[in-house]
Structure formats: C-alpha cells, structure tokens
Amino acid sequence: MMHRNPTLITGGMVVTETSVAKLDILIEGEKITRLANTISPESGWEIIEAEGSYIIPGGIDPHTHLQSKWEGLETSDDWYTGTVAAAVGGTTTILDFCRPDSNSTMMTGLREWKRRADKHAVIDYGFHLVIREVNENSLNEMKEIMEEGIPSFKLFMAYKDSLQINDGDLFRALQRIHELEALAMVHCENGDVIEVLIEQSVAKGHLAPIAHALTRPPELEGEATGRVITFAEIADAALYIPHVSCLQSLQAIQTARQKGLKVFGETCPQYLFVDIGFLNKPDFEGAKYVWSPPPREKWHQAHLWEGLNSGDLLTIGSDHSSYDFKGQKELGLEDFTKIPNGGPSIEDRMSMLYHFGVAKGKIGISQFVNMTSTNAAKIFGLYPLKGVIAEGSDADLVIWDPKRKRTISSASHAMNVDYSIYEGVEVEGAPMRTIVRGETIALNGAFVGRAGTGRFVARKLDSRQQANLTKEAVWR
Ligand SMILES: [Zn+2]
C-alpha cells in the first residue's frame, strides 16, 4: 500500500443516512479514522477545505455492464473507461454483471471477469453472477461462487432462446438461493409473449426503433414481477428487482412489501428522465434509447418518484451498457431487433438524481445518499465497509458542490461512447472531488487517478441490514 499522510477534510456538511451535520473527517491510510465537530490539524497533514459543500459516501452503482456483449457485440466502455466515468460522476464502487459464455461454468466466467477488471478498474468492484442454466452442476456451483464473495445471482425471465429461464427452473434456483441465504436478482419481462409480439411486428414491417418499446409493454413487466415474487414468497428467497420501469411492476413490489417480504426494488435514471417518445426521434436517433425494459409513457415517471419516496424502490442503478450510435446502434437501421440493447448512464446517475431530485425538492439529501449508496451497501453486503461515513469505514467519499453548474454532453463526458442520453441537459450540483480508499481520483470533473487502483470486494450478505429495509409485516 502506498504511504500517504493523514488527510483532514474540514468545514463540509457530512451527510449520512439519517443526518446532515458540519463535521471534520480524518482519513488515515484507506480508512476514516475520526469524525468530530472540529479536529485540530497536525503538521504534515493534508488539509482539504470543504466549506459550502456536502460530503457524501461514495456512490455505489449496483447495476453495470462493462466490457459486456449483446449478441456478440462488445460495449464501447471497458473496465478502465467505464470506471473512470463512474469516478468522475461520484461513484466509488460498482457491482457488475458477470455473464459466463453459454458453454462455460460460472467459475470460468468469474475468472474471466476478474481478469478484465484487474489492472484496469479505478474504483472498487464486485460481481453478480448470471445463472444461464439451472441444473445440478450450476446449483452446486452457486455455493463455490458465494465462497468467492459473490452472494447475488441474476436470472432472466426474458430473452427467449438465450438467457431466459423457464418458471420451474427459476423456482428451483430460488429454492437454492433460500438454502444458501443468497440474493436473487431477476430481470422481469415475459419473454415468451414478447417474442410473439416481436414476430408479429416484424411480419407487419414495423421495424423502426419505436417497435422495440411497443413489443415490450409494461403489463408484461408487471406480470413477470408479480410471478417471480410469488415464486420467491413460496421459496422464501430474498429478491431484488432491477430496473423497475413502470407502475405495474412497482405495484407488484408494493404489494409484496406490504406483506413484509424481502423484496427490494431498483429503478434507473433513464426511467425517470427518458420516455417512450424519445424512441420516435428522427434520423434513427430513437435507437439511442433502446434498452430493456424500454422507456415508458411519461406518466409512469411520477409513480417511480413516489416509489422512491415510499422506499419501495430503494436503489438507483445505472444499468450502464454503452454502445456507440455510429457503427453499433446503427446495425439496427433496417430492423429494430438488431439494435444492441443498452444505454450509457454510469457517469450522470448521481448528477441527474441530485439536480432533479434534491435541487428540485423531490427528495432530501439523506434520501439521495440512501438511494445512490447506503441502501445498495446494505442489500448487497457492503455495509458498513462502504456506503456510510463512519469511523472504521473505507474512506470512499465525494465532496459534492451543490452549486456547480454544468451541461451534460457527449463532447465533454468521460464515457467512451459517442452520444449522451441527456445531451444538453443543464444540471446544478456535481462532484468536486472523488476519493476512493483515501486516494483522490477525480477533481472537478477530471480523472486524476491511475488504472488498476480499484480492488475486488468480496461480499457477505447481512440479513439484519436487509431486514431493516423491509416493511413491518402487517399480517404475521
Ligand atoms: Zn442490466
């Protein structure tokens, strides 16, 4: 470990999950070692003045796809560019989806993902393991994967003939997740019905980007969400629903949480700010907004904000999966089914939520911290190592300037992708400094760190912390 002098951050408003207070923070090595109203500096300490700024726990993005493939096509962001963009945007830890090749074991996939991240990632990271097939081998292997520090598994109810798992297999996997006290993450869309709608759309010659959204209606997301919740309830498995895009899915989650079930919902910035109308943009630009589940009619957005406020949606994941418009999205010019699914969101996740959430008065600053960091730490077994500003925690911090204004644009962003889904949007509030385990790696929107400083974090779930994020059972 590189030796560093102690660092004192002074005069900032320290935000935790429940409070905001003016506190000094002492960092020694990689840890926060003291928090106090005033800490007198000693000679040799580095002093960072944070007057007028918030100091928040570094963002935790629980949902990324770096150097990932969609039908053989590789995302434009790899582990270096993707984590640099995350750092510039205020994120200090990501949980990325490790998806083994169809013919390889989960352990082989894991080794490959570790190889990709190692020496490239600039922030800390963990993985979720995608279960492509449920059988004796994969069910056994789940235990070994957990012993590697990966207690969260992803299953798909969509993408027929590739990733989709049938109901029986899904249920068996959920039973195994219960046995192992792991966490299930399930992509909720009814893949069988979507396949029929796609075939019919293609047959009618409806091939433009908008057909992507029209063949994946919100009812099919709501139906799948309710279905997997039912299975998880019978199997008594903890369940995380990523990328909730619509009221139908939110309602299924709310019903489950009213019963006190361990069901956690995530939404993504793109569902709060991009609606189905974007897919109708001229000159094929609608393809920039093709991801799954797709953008919905605008009225869903108010419900998602309500879900965030009620705590039924607990986290904001980016679902970052970036493909260039030129040369990649364009592959679907004649046929929407050939457009690679995904959008770039890792860098602006926190800025967009801060500006339209905190600055516009929709959510408080502590809620912002919970949604962008603390709740993910609690659900995924990173707390209190990460996700909180406390003595003994990793010094993963962001000094957030609530007044700094900037205009989001692909001309200035750090992501390695040729467009922005928020092009031209002006936001107020941005990270001034991003610190990972005591080291400053981004300053005023510029990356100042080195490749490979990010580290794999082995996780272990904490059922008590998870339980704290469920609703009191009303009928037990
Ligand atoms: Zn995803």
Side-chain angles (χ1 to χ4, degrees):
M1 194 203 313
M2 199 175 70
H3 177 77
R4 271 191 303 269
N5 291 333
T7 301
L8 180 65
I9 306 176
T10 175
M13 296 298 286
V14 175
V15 186
T16 67
E17 49 204 299
T18 52
S19 68
V20 185
K22 195 162 185 171
L23 292 171
D24 288 354
I25 301 174
L26 181 63
I27 300 170
E28 292 176 276
E30 301 190 335
K31 299 285 183 186
I32 297 166
T33 53
R34 263 182 83 197
L35 271 179
N37 290 331
T38 32
I39 300 174
S40 309
E42 295 178 12
S43 70
W45 288 8
E46 187 194 340
I47 314 288
I48 298 170
E49 298 279 354
E51 199 79 40
S53 291
Y54 288 121
I55 304 172
I56 60 176
I60 298 174
D61 187 341
H63 188 159
T64 68
H65 305 271
L66 299 179
Q67 202 176 337
S68 186
K69 281 183 181 163
W70 187 84
E71 312 224 329
L73 197 66
E74 192 157 292
T75 55
S76 57
D77 275 306
D78 60 18
W79 276 85
Y80 179 71
T81 63
T83 55
V84 165
V88 166
T91 293
T92 55
T93 303
I94 59 170
L95 298 176
D96 194 83
F97 286 92
C98 165
R99 190 165 73 212
D101 289 338
S102 53
N103 50 3
S104 80
T105 64
M106 285 193 263
M107 202 54 88
T108 307
L110 176 56
R111 270 196 294 269
E112 170 62 15
W113 248 254
K114 281 191 168 177
R115 191 190 60 74
R116 292 178 189 181
D118 186 38
K119 299 191 177 64
H120 300 286
V122 307
I123 61 172
D124 288 353
Y125 55 92
F127 303 111
H128 313 292
L129 234 298
V130 173
I131 302 177
R132 301 188 64 125
E133 240 174 279
V134 176
N135 54 40
E136 217 50 47
N137 288 339
S138 62
L139 291 171
N140 283 331
E141 215 189 354
M142 288 168 71
K143 187 156 187 285
E144 294 164 45
I145 295 292
M146 283 187 75
E147 285 160 2
E148 297 285 321
I150 294 139
S152 40
F153 296 91
K154 174 89 178 277
L155 297 126
F156 289 83
M157 299 171 85
Y159 302 114
K160 200 169 160 66
D161 299 324
S162 96
L163 293 165
Q164 188 174 326
I165 304 271
N166 69 44
D167 286 352
D169 284 347
L170 180 57
F171 183 67
R172 279 211 294 167
L174 290 167
Q175 287 180 319
R176 181 66 170 154
I177 279 161
H178 162 79
E179 258 171 40
L180 295 170
E181 294 179 29
L183 178 66
M185 309 174 75
V186 180
H187 179 119
C188 296
E189 284 186 297
N190 186 320
D192 287 326
V193 177
I194 285 170
E195 199 57 31
V196 173
L197 291 172
I198 289 175
E199 277 169 24
Q200 291 171 348
S201 183
V202 169
K204 283 187 204 143
H206 297 165
L207 297 166
I210 188 67
H212 172 75
L214 298 177
T215 54
R216 310 181 85 94
E219 289 78 7
L220 295 181
E221 183 185 335
E223 180 275 327
T225 306
R227 181 155 39 105
V228 71
I229 286 172
T230 302
F231 300 161
E233 181 174 9
I234 298 167
D236 190 21
L239 176 65
Y240 182 91
I241 312 281
H243 50 48
V244 173
S245 75
C246 60
L247 174 63
Q248 289 85 344
S249 180
L250 174 61
Q251 282 176 332
I253 291 167
Q254 284 170 330
T255 305
R257 289 178 57 81
Q258 286 302 325
K259 291 186 188 174
L261 300 181
K262 257 192 199 181
V263 173
F264 311 105
E266 169 201 275
T267 190
C268 313
Q270 49 274 35
Y271 299 115
L272 298 170
F273 307 116
V274 175
D275 64 70
I276 192 169
F278 284 57
L279 280 89
N280 273 324
K281 286 197 178 195
D283 303 323
F284 191 61
E285 287 205 40
K288 294 175 176 175
Y289 313 94
V290 167
W291 48 69
S292 299
R296 302 302 189 186
E297 286 177 21
K298 203 169 174 58
W299 60 265
H300 288 274
Q301 293 173 359
H303 293 286
L304 296 178
W305 281 107
E306 278 168 26
L308 285 167
N309 257 316
S310 67
D312 293 306
L313 300 176
L314 285 157
T315 56
I316 301 280
S318 69
D319 199 0
H320 180 80
S321 179
S322 57
Y323 292 96
D324 280 326
F325 182 65
K326 293 265 167 239
Q328 292 195 307
K329 289 283 186 181
E330 278 180 350
L331 293 171
L333 209 48
E334 307 295 327
D335 176 358
F336 75 93
T337 66
K338 305 279 193 304
I339 302 170
N341 279 213
S345 197
I346 200 166
E347 186 169 345
D348 302 309
R349 180 181 73 113
M350 295 178 69
S351 275
M352 288 294 285
L353 193 70
Y354 183 86
H355 177 80
F356 290 99
V358 182
K360 300 279 184 203
K362 280 198 168 84
I363 56 172
I365 184 77
S366 284
Q367 272 179 298
F368 170 74
V369 161
N370 284 330
M371 290 167 194
T372 56
S373 180
T374 313
N375 288 346
K378 289 178 176 174
I379 293 168
F380 291 104
L382 288 164
Y383 187 91
L385 180 71
K386 297 184 182 295
V388 60
I389 297 178
E391 291 176 2
S393 295
D394 278 356
D396 293 348
L397 302 167
V398 174
I399 301 180
W400 188 276
D401 180 352
K403 293 275 167 261
R404 194 177 137 218
K405 289 195 173 104
R406 65 187 187 100
T407 303
I408 297 176
S409 170
S410 62
S412 53
H413 70 199
M415 296 181 285
N416 181 38
V417 63
D418 65 0
Y419 75 98
S420 169
I421 59 175
Y422 309 121
E423 187 67 41
V425 174
E426 281 179 58
V427 289
E428 192 173 337
M432 233 163 57
R433 181 189 288 260
T434 304
I435 301 171
V436 176
R437 281 180 284 102
E439 186 175 343
T440 293
I441 64 164
L443 259 182
N444 298 318
F447 179 64
V448 297
R450 293 162 292 126
T453 51
R455 201 183 282 165
F456 171 73
V457 188
R459 295 177 291 122
K460 199 170 186 306
L461 301 181
D462 181 339
S463 60
R464 199 173 42 96
Q465 289 303 342
Q466 286 186 342
N468 286 340
L469 293 176
T470 61
K471 290 222 162 110
E472 208 71 62
V474 291
W475 53 281
R476 280 185 192 158

